[in-house]
Amino acid sequence: MLSFFFLSDRSEIFSSSKSEVMRGPRTAVIAHKKLDAEKLKAPKAETKTSKEKRSKKKSAPKDPDAPKRPPSAFFVFMEEFRKSFKENFPENKSVSTVVKAGSVKWKSMSDSDKAPYAEKALKKKAEYEKAVDAYEKKHKHNNSGDNEESDKSTSEIHDDAEQEASS
């Protein structure tokens, strides 16, 4: 009987510790939920919108005189496909329908069928590279009179200044 009494005492210990353990996390979860609710009630003026976040990214302004990038083989294909699609389906004016039909056809084409479009894309890329070289020469020529910079990098200039200061 003594062992039975011992087991019953033990079960009481476990049952009381279980309830204490179960109460602990439950209150922590409730407290955590209250914090989330407080965050949700915060005024919307304090939270930043996605437009404000995007506006902080400062990119270099695009030069309108810079040449446009060349189209890929798919876009060269789509130029021709749009014309033929509009001729065959003049009543369909949905852009998404044209693009979907063009992408399905492009995926079904073999590499040999895509080759003429790839060649046209390569020609346009070569023209683009020539245009970029001409643009850079023109741009560099216009700026070279304004800024006369030495051949030294900025780190070399700082090193020279440090040596003079230490002497």
Side-chain angles (χ1 to χ4, degrees):
M1 284 270 204
L2 187 58
S3 63
F4 177 73
F5 181 74
F6 179 73
L7 288 175
S8 65
D9 290 341
R10 198 177 219 188
S11 64
E12 289 175 13
I13 292 171
F14 284 129
S15 65
S16 65
S17 64
K18 283 182 183 178
S19 62
E20 289 173 12
V21 170
M22 293 304 286
R23 286 183 193 154
R26 190 175 345 158
T27 56
V29 170
I30 293 170
H32 178 48
K33 287 182 181 180
K34 287 179 183 177
L35 291 176
D36 290 340
E38 290 172 4
K39 287 180 184 178
L40 292 173
K41 290 180 182 178
K44 290 189 176 185
E46 294 177 10
T47 59
K48 295 181 180 179
T49 62
S50 60
K51 287 183 182 179
E52 291 173 353
K53 291 178 184 178
R54 282 185 271 164
S55 66
K56 287 189 177 184
K57 295 180 184 178
K58 294 181 180 178
S59 61
K62 292 183 179 181
D63 188 0
D65 298 331
K68 290 180 76 176
R69 294 184 69 193
S72 65
F74 174 72
F75 286 104
V76 173
F77 163 75
M78 284 302 293
E79 287 175 12
E80 293 180 12
F81 183 78
R82 278 189 201 99
K83 292 175 187 174
S84 65
F85 192 83
K86 284 184 180 181
E87 290 173 2
N88 296 335
F89 304 100
E91 72 281 348
N92 191 353
K93 296 184 180 185
S94 173
V95 175
S96 61
T97 306
V98 176
V99 173
K100 286 177 186 178
S103 64
V104 167
K105 186 172 180 181
W106 179 258
K107 288 177 185 178
S108 66
M109 293 171 65
S110 65
D111 289 338
S112 60
D113 294 336
K114 293 178 184 180
Y117 303 108
E119 289 174 14
K120 289 179 185 177
L122 286 174
K123 287 179 185 177
K124 289 187 178 189
K125 186 176 180 180
E127 292 172 5
Y128 168 76
E129 289 173 353
K130 288 178 186 176
V132 167
D133 289 339
Y135 170 76
E136 287 177 352
K137 286 179 184 177
K138 177 185 169 189
H139 189 67
K140 192 174 186 179
H141 179 63
N142 289 343
N143 290 340
S144 64
D146 298 339
N147 297 332
E148 292 183 19
E149 296 181 3
S150 65
D151 292 336
K152 290 184 177 182
S153 68
T154 56
S155 62
E156 291 175 337
I157 293 170
H158 291 298
D159 291 341
D160 291 342
E162 289 175 5
Q163 287 178 356
E164 291 175 5
S166 64
S167 299

